[in-house]
Amino acid sequence: MRPMKDDVIPIAPVADVHRTVMEAAASADDAHAALALVVDTEGSTYVRAGAMALFDGQGGQVGWLSGGCLEPEIETRALAAAQAGQVDWMELDTRADEDLLSGSAVGCRGRLLLALLPLAWLPGWTRAVEAWRDGTDLELTLRSVGEQRIALGLGQTDWRLPSTPVPGQVQAGVRLLLKAPPRMVLFGAGPETPWLLPLLRDAGWVITLVERRPRWSPDTGVTPMPDHWEARTPAAGVMQPSVAGADAALVMHHNFELDREALEALAASDIPFIGLLGPRRRRDDLFRLLPAAAVSALGKRLRSPVGLDLGGRGAQAIALSIAAQLQAWHHGRVA
């Protein structure tokens, strides 16, 4: 796969790979599981190239490639590919008029080209996913190396697999860039945390919690377990490797002094999105105690109060408003 050149085969970035599918594939029973990978799309489709769904052979499914109408057919073919130990290519075309009212009746005029991958033939997949979750972008490549052979690469790992006849558009090669999941550091836990952490994790974020107060320790079961937990002060937490390179930070201790400490520490960081929980008056009070240089450094990075105005009150509504703003910001919909 290394000989592929950028000027020969353009690389298509995949900005929103589902973390849950990648991790489920890494821990699946390889002998019976298959990964359905969207290689190409045309027209109106539920997903784009790079989308994935896992079928585990025991009735389990992680990820969706349609609104549910196409999944039974995809699962049947995917599990057959796993049993046969080969890549199978599947085209789903619902662009004709009769597809609106017959068959699966999806109601969308689009075409999907899927590569159905037998996980038992992909040793090293788990290591590649771990590197991806830890912040490494992965290049996923497919190309024909014979009439019924396919070369598949993921990061630094390569495989040669038997295949059903390779579609023409895959002969020269397909390249997808699987961007590493976005990283969030949460300074302080509180009533919103049990609602917010699952929302962010399901949306693909890798989460570090900086919290040393015993009441909010994940060990108590009150706070959900994040990907990384730093039982440190905010100033010490900013210095940890799990925080380095974070895409976003939330400051929500429900404690004035701890929030002040976190904001001062974050002012010296390069984190582009910093959200502060609480009303504007509280932010202004915090600013009066921060050095002028820290206030200036926070600048337009600080969103205060954090969260979109969706209406509602209480922990659930606050968590939803924050998750919605982060989703919109991560995809370039809001500044």
Side-chain angles (χ1 to χ4, degrees), residues 35-57:
L35 188 70
L37 170 69
V38 178
V39 173
D40 190 28
T41 68
E42 186 176 350
S44 176
T45 57
Y46 189 78
V47 293
R48 295 300 181 193
M52 304 175 187
L54 174 74
F55 301 95
D56 67 6

Side-chain angles (χ1 to χ4, degrees), residues 37-42 49 88-93 111-115 167-170 174:
L37 170 69
V38 178
V39 173
D40 190 28
T41 68
E42 186 176 350
D88 188 17
W89 298 91
M90 183 177 186
E91 185 177 49
L92 296 163
D93 195 336
R111 180 188 66 85
L112 291 174
L113 177 62
L114 308 180
Q169 60 265 54
V170 184
V174 172

Side-chain angles (χ1 to χ4, degrees), residues 61-73:
Q61 174 187 328
V62 181
W64 295 90
L65 302 180
S66 78
C69 299
L70 302 177
E71 271 68 19
E73 183 179 356

Side-chain angles (χ1 to χ4, degrees), residues 24-299:
S27 60
D29 180 357
D30 290 351
H32 304 98
L35 188 70
L37 170 69
V38 178
V39 173
D40 190 28
T41 68
E42 186 176 350
S44 176
T45 57
Y46 189 78
V47 293
R48 295 300 181 193
M52 304 175 187
L54 174 74
F55 301 95
D56 67 6
Q58 300 176 351
Q61 174 187 328
V62 181
W64 295 90
L65 302 180
S66 78
C69 299
L70 302 177
E71 271 68 19
E73 183 179 356
I74 297 172
E75 179 178 21
T76 298
R77 288 278 296 272
L79 297 182
Q83 184 174 8
Q86 67 178 4
V87 175
D88 188 17
W89 298 91
M90 183 177 186
E91 185 177 49
L92 296 163
D93 195 336
T94 60
R95 290 174 294 179
D97 289 343
E98 57 267 24
D99 291 313
L100 296 176
L101 299 173
S102 63
S104 58
V106 178
C108 296
R109 295 181 182 271
R111 180 188 66 85
L112 291 174
L113 177 62
L114 308 180
L116 307 176
L117 309 177
L119 289 179
W121 287 64
L122 303 179
W125 176 273
T126 297
R127 292 194 303 274
V129 172
E130 289 172 350
W132 174 82
R133 185 180 54 204
D134 289 340
T136 301
D137 293 346
L138 294 182
E139 182 180 316
L140 192 155
T141 55
L142 301 99
R143 66 181 174 89
S144 174
V145 289
E147 183 177 352
Q148 290 190 290
R149 298 286 294 177
I150 191 76
L152 173 65
L154 182 64
Q156 298 301 312
T157 307
D158 293 306
W159 302 275
R160 299 291 188 273
L161 293 89
S163 171
T164 57
V166 182
Q169 60 265 54
V170 184
Q171 295 287 333
V174 172
R175 302 172 65 206
L176 301 169
L177 180 63
L178 307 184
K179 298 288 291 181
R183 310 183 72 81
M184 156 66 62
V185 54
L186 178 60
F187 288 88
E192 303 82 11
T193 314
W195 306 95
L196 180 60
L197 261 63
L199 284 172
L200 294 178
R201 181 179 175 84
D202 289 347
W205 291 81
V206 173
I207 304 165
T208 296
L209 173 64
V210 179
E211 178 59 89
R212 67 171 184 171
R213 294 173 294 177
R215 178 181 181 183
W216 300 112
S217 163
D219 286 343
T220 65
V222 175
T223 301
M225 186 62 70
D227 296 286
H228 306 282
W229 171 34
E230 301 289 351
R232 305 173 187 271
T233 65
V238 169
M239 306 300 294
Q240 301 310 305
S242 61
V243 177
D247 298 278
L250 296 175
V251 179
M252 44 195 307
H253 289 95
H254 293 272
N255 178 287
F256 190 84
E257 177 56 25
L258 289 175
D259 281 357
R260 184 206 62 77
E261 183 182 345
L263 288 176
E264 186 168 359
L266 286 167
S269 76
D270 295 325
I271 297 175
F273 181 111
I274 301 172
L276 175 64
L277 188 67
R280 291 181 176 85
R281 174 63 183 272
R282 185 173 185 273
R283 175 201 61 197
D284 294 342
D285 289 341
L286 285 164
F287 275 10
R288 278 195 285 269
L289 297 179
L290 288 173
V295 174
S296 176
L298 290 169

